Amino acid sequence: MRPLHFTRRGLTQAVALVVLWGLSGLTHAQTAWPQKPVKIVVPFAPGGTTDILARAVAPELSKAFGQQFVVENRAGAGGNVGAEAVAKSAPDGYTILMGTVGTHGINRALYPKLPYDPFKDFAPITLVAAVPNVMVVNVDKAKVMDIHNVKDFIKAAKAHPGQFNMASSGNGTSIHLSGELFKSQTGIFMAHIPYRGSGPALLDLMGGSMDVMFDNLPSAMPLIKSGKLKALAVTSAQRSGALPELPTIEEAAGLKGFEASSWFGLLAPAGTPPDIVNRIQQEVAKSLSTPAIKEKMLGQGAIPSGNTPAQFATLIENEHKKWALVVKASGAKVD
């Protein structure tokens, strides 16, 4: 076989063609995603705010990308089971997490052995929404104990130590930590009973086996409006536009500086291509800005976001520092 000979010009053209072919292939690989359904893992049981928000954005993403975005509930260990599953998934854009202030802001300070690193194991995509928590009590318990406001609750709890059970959506959630902060600042005792999500916890709260809960506002809102639960106050620094008549705990009980809100956002396994991360963020931001979804979320007590991956990463870092102090101040521990 005769050896190939290239002129300098011919060699330059050949190299250019190879480069263009490579770029074309890369562009094709980037735009080809998604070629199959994408899984959004919710690390809590159905019925809670994490689940509600995931199911709000999933159909919007399905429409935007032409593939189904399917919600999968993987509850357990305060969100750690689902978060760990996503952290160990392939970084190909087909498995993402609806993370929370618990999974990425609290648990690292609360659990001595966290099965994932909330910083190193994830690529933040976008903050979906921030929400206040709301202190809700069983209606019958409130009647029997003559509880009309937060001060009445504190008085009743002090007069009847050991007779109040506090439900939460799981150890390490903001719902749990809101209650622990309340206990530490008021000096009352309540037995903490963790569930695998807000849904089952709210059922037992309505049923009477639980007495109080500091739930995320969107999941508690329908039960408050229907009279199935009695709301006493929100845990945020300001009142909620969804329930403007409801005071903050600081206002209602004089607990200076009391603030314990929640947030929810999408994250992918570390190493997921930035192109995929950015495309998801852009579509989420676009959907959250539409009047229908924006009004629906605000009506539920959630404040939609859609910020950039870099902004969300900064939020996560700041929230971890903040909640580490809350965990220390409350004395909360999880073995």
Side-chain angles (χ1 to χ4, degrees), residues 69-330:
F69 278 66
V70 182
V71 174
E72 177 182 295
N73 298 87
R74 298 193 65 172
N80 291 344
V81 172
E84 180 186 11
V86 175
K88 295 179 178 178
S89 296
D92 55 10
Y94 290 102
T95 303
I96 58 179
L97 175 75
M98 180 61 84
T100 71
V101 64
T103 60
H104 283 74
I106 297 173
N107 288 0
R108 193 179 190 189
L110 191 66
Y111 286 82
K113 293 181 180 179
L114 201 62
Y116 61 91
D117 188 309
F119 303 112
K120 295 179 181 178
D121 293 342
F122 291 89
I125 299 175
T126 187
L127 175 69
V128 174
V131 306
N133 292 346
V134 59
M135 183 179 182
V136 285
V137 295
N138 175 270
V139 173
D140 294 331
K141 186 86 169 188
K143 289 180 180 177
V144 171
M145 293 288 189
D146 197 27
I147 296 171
H148 303 282
N149 51 49
V150 179
K151 287 185 176 179
D152 288 343
F153 182 91
I154 296 170
K155 181 180 178 182
K158 288 184 175 180
H160 302 88
Q163 293 188 29
F164 284 82
N165 291 325
M166 180 184 78
S168 83
S169 57
N171 286 315
T173 60
S174 72
I175 295 169
H176 170 207
L177 264 293
S178 295
E180 294 295 341
L181 187 62
F182 185 78
K183 287 161 63 176
S184 69
Q185 290 196 12
T186 58
I188 65 174
F189 172 77
M190 298 183 289
H192 171 229
I193 312 297
Y195 285 75
R196 293 168 69 88
S198 282
L202 288 168
L203 287 175
D204 279 0
L205 182 60
M206 286 187 291
S209 57
M210 294 292 109
D211 304 305
V212 62
M213 186 172 174
F214 294 78
D215 192 35
N216 304 140
L217 187 52
S219 48
M221 180 75 81
L223 304 177
I224 295 170
K225 289 191 171 182
S226 65
K228 294 178 180 178
L229 289 176
K230 182 176 179 62
L232 300 183
V234 290
T235 65
S236 48
Q238 291 85 33
R239 295 192 181 199
S240 169
L243 290 174
E245 72 282 0
L246 206 61
T248 66
I249 285 183
E250 180 175 353
E251 290 176 322
L255 300 181
K256 189 171 179 60
F258 191 102
E259 196 274 328
S261 297
S262 300
W263 52 260
F264 307 83
L266 293 173
L267 303 103
T272 300
D275 174 67
I276 293 175
V277 169
N278 290 329
R279 288 173 64 193
I280 296 174
Q281 181 271 326
Q282 290 162 9
E283 291 302 333
V284 170
K286 191 184 300 181
S287 67
L288 293 178
S289 66
T290 59
I293 293 182
K294 189 173 183 179
E295 289 174 15
K296 182 179 180 180
M297 284 195 174
L298 290 173
Q300 293 174 327
I303 302 171
S305 176
N307 63 3
T308 67
Q311 290 169 332
F312 189 27
T314 299
L315 172 71
I316 291 171
E317 184 178 349
N318 292 337
E319 284 289 285
H320 168 68
K321 293 175 182 177
K322 166 191 162 183
W323 283 99
L325 296 175
V326 174
V327 169
K328 184 176 180 180
S330 70

Side-chain angles (χ1 to χ4, degrees), residues 9-39:
R9 181 179 179 184
L11 181 61
T12 301
Q13 290 175 336
V15 170
L17 286 172
V18 170
V19 170
L20 287 172
W21 178 84
L23 290 174
S24 175
L26 179 61
T27 302
H28 175 74
Q30 289 176 334
T31 56
W33 178 92
Q35 294 182 319
K36 61 181 181 179
V38 177
K39 183 166 56 180

